[in-house]
Amino acid sequence: MSENFHIRKVAVLGAGVMGAQIAAHLVNANVETVLFELPAKEGDPNGNVNKALEGLKKLEPAPVASPSKLTCIQPANYEQHLELLHGCDLVIEAIAERMDWKSGLYQKVSPYLGERSIFASNTSGLSINKLAEAFPENLRHRFCGIHFFNPPRYMHLVELISCTGTEASLLDHLEEFLVSTLGKGVVRAKDTPNFIANRIGVFSMLATKHHARAFNLGFDTVDALTGRYLGRPKSATFRTLDVVGLDVYAHVVNTMRENLTEDPWHKHFDLPDWFNYLVEQGALGQKTKRGIYQKIGKEIHVLDIHSKEYRLSEAKVDDGVKEILRERDWAKKLAGLRGNQHPQAQFLWATFRDVFHYCALQLEHIADNARDLDFAVRWGFGWDSGPFEIWQATGWQQVANWISADIAAGKTMSNAPLPSWATESDRVGVHTPQGSYSPCPHVGEGEAQRRERTYQPRSQLPVYRRQLFPDRLLGESVQYGETVFETDAVRLWHTGDDIAILSFKTKMHAISNEVLDGILRAIAEAEAHFRALVLWQVEAPFSAGAHLLQLMQGVQDAADTPPAGLFDKFKGAAQRVKYTIAGGGGLGEIVNAAAGNVPRVEDVVAKFQQVSQRLKYAQVPTIAAVYGLALGGGCEFTIHCTRIVASLETYIGLVEVGVGLLPAGGGCKEMALRAANEARGGDIFPHLRRYFQQIAMGEVAKSAELARDMGYLRPSDRIVLNQYELLHVAKEEARALTSSAYRPPLAPRQIPVAGRPGIATLKAAMVNMFEGGFISEHDYNIGCRIAETMCGGDVEAGSLVDEQWLLDLERKNFMELLATAKTRARVEYMLKNGKPLRN
């Protein structure tokens, strides 16, 4: 019988930017962690590491899922605490990228390592085999590279790199730990300078810089072109350099220049004068508050490459180029850019072309297959699609011919020809249902098979069985189970077992009238034919809230036609605004609907409440598998399910106040009920006040851990770090519930409420805030209605009510707010501007 592999305790060596954040993410995953740093020269020997831990509290986005997690990191220094290493199963070195410093540290700590300790370097590009030479020979079989990306909590990628003597089983165990415990996407990289992601990502930046200069485009123009239009982060190219740090980028480029002398693009691995000028001035980017960009007051200024002075950033994308970039079809987009003679279009085509060219030539040297390269770039740099995916989506043969023609014409950054595999006449891409193309020799039977270039399937490690539907690439087929029923709004399906899965099909999974009908039908189907119902979305978010326009349209068969132009105005605004609050894209139509169709709107709100109650009291367990936004109505459905299985990166909250409303799908009722349960017969008010404040302020939990702290997740709910394991864990939770003869909870008939005294106390606090200028008159009005609802209305303190009483109060106050001019103004403003109106 094989022995179980456990990583109980981890030591991180180095409390710099990366080391401290790696430690933070380890405790996010409930891994006992020791963080080492040099002893302070004065005072507390742990002064340096404690300073680093304090610094973590100031970082945004937060590296820890809950502030309380920081206390779980044990501070240590190299002079007093090296014996702690003996009890660590994994030691991660994360000090500065200096080979001599790392070698010295290895010699210092290696005598203290446990007999089976794994030692890994977080180097971003130094040779793992060269680093291993500084490690004791008898321990090298337990040495490897684990390269996290910054920030470690949020970046999905970890590159795993072996040295010549690394035990194969050790890498397998580490991959399982990184994938399931820490929630990462692991790519096995070859031991080449900067590995995979930095090699391709940094080359992409070098190509962008090269062509920006050739076409005389400013940094802000380049960023306007290379961000979301291309499916990349908003920080695009040069803003990303400021975030990363110009000194860090310089180190990575220098590593390429010094170690890749035979690379056909070697002459481009340099840093221009303007870059060196900024570094010499100490303008290193975001951490020094000045780099390629500088914020002056409320204005963003950008460096002018010619004058080396800062000017106001005012980039403008050409209208014709913008039209091409809005095209979703990559074939049309790239063809349009190549065929358009505007410098912005030619710049973009040239950059794409040279990145494709580089990836094709370097694939066999840096990665095992095309899948690893694309995932490394997607997960490490935040691209929606990897380079090979874009090439394949555009038309492999067409792009290969374009690249070859530009090579022949001397337009490319290197005149090296495309590799022969890339120009095969029958090639249609590199990603297929059978696997992704690998130019590396295949180890099979006989010499012929070993020389054959193959398509490699995904890893078969047991940990990946937990990912029922892993992140997929273009060209990979996926079938989401067998359909039970499907409408325009929802799909109920299963994977061949007795657990039903419901997925929404609306934009941002907004909750429309059709979604409500679909959920009710799904619950009935699950009760009749399945043992449990799981709410899970194929893609994030879980749900950004109620789509009230659709809800009202679904019940207004005889509604009056809106005034001319009103519908189009709000529809257009809705398409531009993200669904970041409950209500999503249709709230503008409340303005029209509320005036003449209040009873019909109330019918929809009542149906919303009915759905929440059905989720809570269904005869089979209901499981909400949540990732990303779960706001407003999405939060209300979640908190009514039997169990929540939430990814760590779940952002949950009741945010209806942002548009001048209150939660009316059972949210106020459920949180009032939780306050009563927590009071256990004692004073309800302290518990209620916390939930009131969260709803009245529209607070959103910035992690699943904080959602638990805020009471949206219960102790019995689960937190999963890898989003691709959500469905597996949700189904396991369902099986655990059904194995014990699940029965729904009994509806509470006697819920104690805070009554008039509670309302008065909450109002008094709000009066002080109003008089102090912290809230508006309408904020006060909304808060009073939330207070009335959650305190049970005009009754004595301690009065006993049932859930329907509280639901009726919710609905009443929602409808009365909906009739106010100021709420309608908030709705319209949100749709037009994408942010709340304080009126």
Side-chain angles (χ1 to χ4, degrees), residues 459-755:
S459 170
Q460 297 301 304
L461 286 177
V463 69
Y464 291 110
R465 296 173 196 159
R466 297 170 59 85
Q467 297 186 16
L468 304 184
F469 300 99
D471 197 2
R472 59 189 170 98
L473 293 161
L474 174 77
E476 292 183 318
S477 60
V478 61
Q479 175 59 45
Y480 291 100
E482 182 178 337
T483 300
V484 178
F485 75 81
E486 185 169 9
T487 69
D488 290 339
V490 302
R491 176 175 179 252
L492 185 71
W493 52 286
H494 63 86
T495 58
D497 54 21
D498 54 5
I499 297 175
I501 303 164
L502 183 70
S503 301
F504 301 172
K505 295 168 61 181
T506 50
K507 184 178 179 181
M508 296 294 283
H509 305 133
I511 301 164
S512 65
N513 189 49
E514 292 79 11
V515 168
L516 294 177
D517 289 337
I519 298 174
L520 290 173
R521 181 177 171 185
I523 295 170
E525 284 280 352
E527 289 176 329
H529 303 293
F530 294 90
R531 298 184 66 192
L533 175 65
V534 174
L535 273 60
W536 177 79
Q537 314 297 5
V538 172
E539 295 179 344
F542 178 76
S543 175
H547 196 319
L548 294 180
L549 165 60
Q550 294 182 1
L551 293 182
M552 289 181 289
Q553 287 176 333
V555 295
Q556 290 175 357
D557 296 333
D560 294 333
T561 302
L566 179 63
F567 178 83
D568 290 336
K569 180 176 72 171
F570 283 122
K571 181 180 179 184
Q575 290 171 342
R576 294 192 298 271
V577 179
K578 292 184 177 179
Y579 289 65
T580 54
I581 61 162
L587 284 170
E589 292 302 322
I590 288 177
V591 178
N592 176 67
N597 297 286
V598 171
R600 295 185 181 274
V601 178
E602 189 167 2
D603 288 344
V604 180
V605 178
K607 185 191 289 188
F608 211 113
Q609 294 178 338
Q610 178 193 1
V611 171
S612 292
Q613 293 297 90
R614 285 286 282 131
L615 286 169
K616 184 173 183 178
Y617 296 112
Q619 293 301 306
V620 295
T622 56
I623 316 294
V626 190
Y627 171 65
L629 299 178
L631 301 179
C635 173
E636 289 176 300
F637 284 170
T638 296
I639 61 178
H640 280 85
C641 285
T642 313
R643 286 284 187 278
I644 302 172
V645 177
S647 165
L648 184 70
E649 301 311 325
T650 293
Y651 312 108
I652 187 170
L654 297 168
V655 295
E656 286 82 353
V657 295
V659 286
L661 295 167
L662 56 74
C668 290
K669 176 271 299 181
E670 191 64 18
M671 303 320 289
L673 177 57
R674 292 188 183 188
N677 290 337
E678 290 168 10
R680 297 181 180 179
D683 186 3
I684 303 166
F685 189 76
H687 305 276
L688 186 72
R689 179 170 49 197
R690 176 169 70 109
Y691 293 132
F692 166 82
Q693 179 176 327
Q694 290 170 187
I695 295 174
M697 300 298 291
E699 294 179 5
V700 176
K702 295 182 179 179
S703 73
E705 288 285 359
L706 285 174
R708 196 192 297 282
D709 293 345
M710 293 169 68
Y712 291 126
L713 266 64
R714 299 151 296 195
S716 58
D717 294 326
R718 306 292 181 216
I719 296 175
V720 177
L721 269 77
N722 196 315
Q723 69 194 72
Y724 299 105
E725 295 184 355
L726 267 180
L727 184 55
H728 166 79
V729 177
K731 293 177 76 171
E732 291 298 305
E733 281 292 304
R735 292 189 180 99
L737 287 164
T738 58
S739 67
S740 58
Y742 174 78
R743 294 288 302 171
L746 295 173
R749 298 183 181 277
Q750 296 185 329
I751 306 168
V753 293

